[in-house]
Amino acid sequence: MKIVVATLLWRRFDVFDVWAEALKDAAKGLDATVEALVAGSEGGASRALVEGHGFHYIETPNEPLGRKANLRLMACRELEPDYVILTGSDDIVSPKTLARYVELAHSGDFDEVALNDIYFYNVRTGQLSYSPGYLNTRREGEPIAPWRMLNRQTCDALGWRGWNDTKPKFLDSQFYPKLKAMNLRHQRLHLRTDDLFMCDLKSDVNLHPWRHMPHWARVNPAILRRHLSPGIISKITALRG
C-alpha cells in the first residue's frame, strides 16, 4: 500500500518545516508506505528544503494556482500510488488521524475520504479555534478541502487533473463538484467527535488570511498535547517568534 501526500509550497518555509516534521512523525510505524510530493515555486531554495526532508519535488510557477495544482496531481501518477492525499503545506495532521486514513485505505471500501471539520491555529497569537466546516452555509454537506484522499481509480477517471489551469484561487469550489458528480463511495471523518486532529497553521502570509469567523469556537490550545508529540508542539510554538 502506497499513499502519496501531495501539497503546494510558496514562501513560509518555517511553516512548511513544521508540516514536514509532523507528517514524518505521523507516518512512523504505519502499515503503509507514505511518501510526500511537493510542488514548489522558488527554485533551489524550495527544492533544497523539500528534498532535505526526503520528499519528492517538482518546480512550477506559483500562478496560476489551478495549473500548479494540476501539475502536482499529474506528478503523483509517476509515483504509482494506491491513494493520493491532497492538502495544504500548513495543514498539520496527528498520528492518530493519519493512521485512520491508512486503515480506510486498506479497507478498499472508499474512493474518497475527507474531513467535515477543522481546527485553525494562529501562530502569532497562539489562539486555537474550531470550525465545524460548511455547517449552515450554502455549501453545507460538502467536506473541507485539506486532507482529501482519493484512490488511484478516481484519479485515473479525472485524468489526474481537477482544476482549470487559469484558476487563481478558491480551488475546491471548482474541484469538489467534479467529485460529487462521480457518485464516489465516500467516507466523512469528524475530528471533534472521532477524537482526531488536523489544524491549519495561519500566519501573516496566507492565501486566506486569519479571520476568526462567527461560527468558529475558541478552543484551549492544550488540546495540542493530546494529539501531537512534544517535538512538533515545540516547533509550532517557536513560530510565534
Side-chain angles (χ1 to χ4, degrees):
M1 172 69 65
K2 179 191 279 192
I3 298 174
V4 173
V5 181
T7 192
L8 307 175
L9 173 63
W10 183 72
R11 300 177 64 180
R12 300 199 305 160
F13 283 9
D14 54 349
V15 173
F16 174 82
D17 185 64
V18 178
W19 180 87
E21 291 296 338
L23 176 60
K24 291 188 291 186
D25 187 62
K28 292 176 182 176
L30 293 179
D31 185 22
T33 298
V34 178
E35 299 182 6
L37 182 139
V38 182
S41 307
E42 293 164 278
S46 51
R47 178 181 293 276
L49 175 64
V50 172
E51 293 183 346
H53 282 288
F55 298 161
H56 303 280
Y57 180 82
I58 63 168
E59 175 75 17
T60 73
N62 192 56
E63 297 177 350
L65 204 55
R67 182 172 182 270
K68 186 174 182 177
N70 278 327
L71 290 172
R72 167 194 60 173
L73 186 54
M74 292 168 66
C76 289
R77 177 171 50 185
E78 306 304 314
L79 301 178
E80 299 185 348
D82 298 293
Y83 289 85
V84 173
I85 295 175
L86 302 172
T87 190
S89 57
D90 52 7
D91 297 320
I92 306 301
V93 71
S94 71
K96 183 178 177 181
T97 304
L98 185 56
R100 180 62 175 145
Y101 275 85
V102 171
E103 178 185 349
L104 292 169
H106 275 296
S107 76
D109 294 334
F110 305 103
D111 305 306
E112 178 206 16
V113 176
L115 299 173
N116 271 352
D117 50 355
I118 186 173
Y119 291 91
F120 292 96
Y121 183 84
N122 187 325
V123 302
R124 299 305 179 202
T125 66
Q127 178 183 333
L128 182 67
S129 296
Y130 168 79
S131 167
Y134 293 122
L135 190 65
N136 298 323
T137 72
R138 62 181 178 81
R139 296 178 65 181
E140 185 164 4
E142 293 185 23
I144 63 171
W147 283 87
R148 172 176 288 130
M149 183 168 75
L150 303 174
N151 63 8
R152 185 181 181 89
Q153 292 80 6
T154 300
C155 293
D156 283 337
L158 288 166
W160 296 82
R161 295 174 56 86
W163 303 271
N164 184 321
D165 275 346
T166 62
K167 189 75 171 176
K169 58 181 179 177
F170 301 117
L171 298 184
D172 203 52
S173 62
Q174 174 189 150
F175 184 43
Y176 180 71
K178 293 183 179 181
L179 298 178
K180 187 176 181 180
M182 296 170 72
N183 295 315
L184 301 175
R185 301 171 300 161
H186 67 260
Q187 173 76 331
R188 302 288 180 255
L189 302 181
H190 302 265
L191 296 176
R192 207 168 199 181
T193 57
D194 296 342
D195 194 31
L196 303 174
F197 186 79
M198 190 277 288
C199 72
D200 182 344
L201 300 182
K202 292 293 187 182
S203 66
D204 296 336
V205 182
N206 281 87
L207 181 62
H208 306 294
W210 171 268
R211 182 160 61 99
H212 188 87
M213 305 296 287
H215 63 286
W216 291 9
R218 288 203 174 203
V219 181
N220 189 335
I223 191 177
L224 271 67
R225 294 199 295 269
R226 194 165 79 241
H227 296 284
L228 302 174
S229 71
I232 301 304
I233 293 173
S234 294
K235 285 183 170 293
I236 292 174
T237 303
L239 294 173
R240 295 185 67 176

